[in-house]
Amino acid sequence: MRTGLTKQEKTTDIWFDEKDPLIHVRTHNTDLKKRLLAYSRRYPTICQQTDADPETGCMEFEIHKGRFSFRLTAPYSEERRNAASKAAKKHSGNLTHPIQKDVL
């Protein structure tokens, strides 16, 4: 969807306070919108879509605290990055659609 908004204008806002049992999410992010929409359809008592702006592509949701989380991950060490690269190269033959080198 083309909205005419720049990437800087396409934001995700997540807000909550300690008293309110809900987290409010307002986002333009397509993947997050799809995930929240699917979740709200599956669990309507826990998560609800509260607004949508088809003109800008923004959607808003309310979700119970404890159902929404932030995952912080430590960066990979150089050793772990190299091991992952070697494993990926070793198993690249398992791909279902091999890339033809002469096409690239």
Side-chain angles (χ1 to χ4, degrees):
M1 167 193 321
R2 296 201 52 102
T3 61
L5 298 176
T6 65
K7 283 195 176 205
Q8 187 172 357
E9 293 170 316
K10 293 180 181 181
T11 61
T12 296
D13 299 316
I14 302 166
W15 69 98
F16 58 92
D17 59 37
E18 297 303 318
K19 185 177 179 182
D20 192 353
L22 298 174
I23 293 174
H24 307 275
V25 180
R26 180 179 184 274
T27 187
H28 291 90
N29 181 286
T30 302
D31 182 53
L32 183 56
K33 289 187 297 188
K34 287 179 182 178
R35 291 172 60 203
L36 284 167
L37 194 57
Y39 192 85
S40 70
R41 289 180 178 155
R42 185 163 183 190
Y43 305 104
T45 60
I46 297 171
C47 180
Q48 295 179 357
Q49 180 184 348
T50 57
D51 198 11
D53 184 352
E55 200 171 298
T56 64
C58 184
M59 293 175 89
E60 294 184 27
F61 295 86
E62 288 181 343
I63 185 169
H64 283 252
K65 283 184 182 172
R67 299 293 99 210
F68 190 86
S69 68
F70 297 92
R71 190 175 86 201
L72 302 174
T73 58
Y76 281 5
S77 67
E78 192 62 35
E79 180 181 338
R80 184 172 178 190
R81 191 178 350 271
N82 288 336
S85 175
K86 285 179 185 176
K89 289 174 185 174
K90 180 180 177 184
H91 298 290
S92 66
N94 295 338
L95 297 174
T96 57
H97 301 296
I99 298 172
Q100 295 177 355
K101 293 183 179 183
D102 59 337
V103 174
L104 300 175

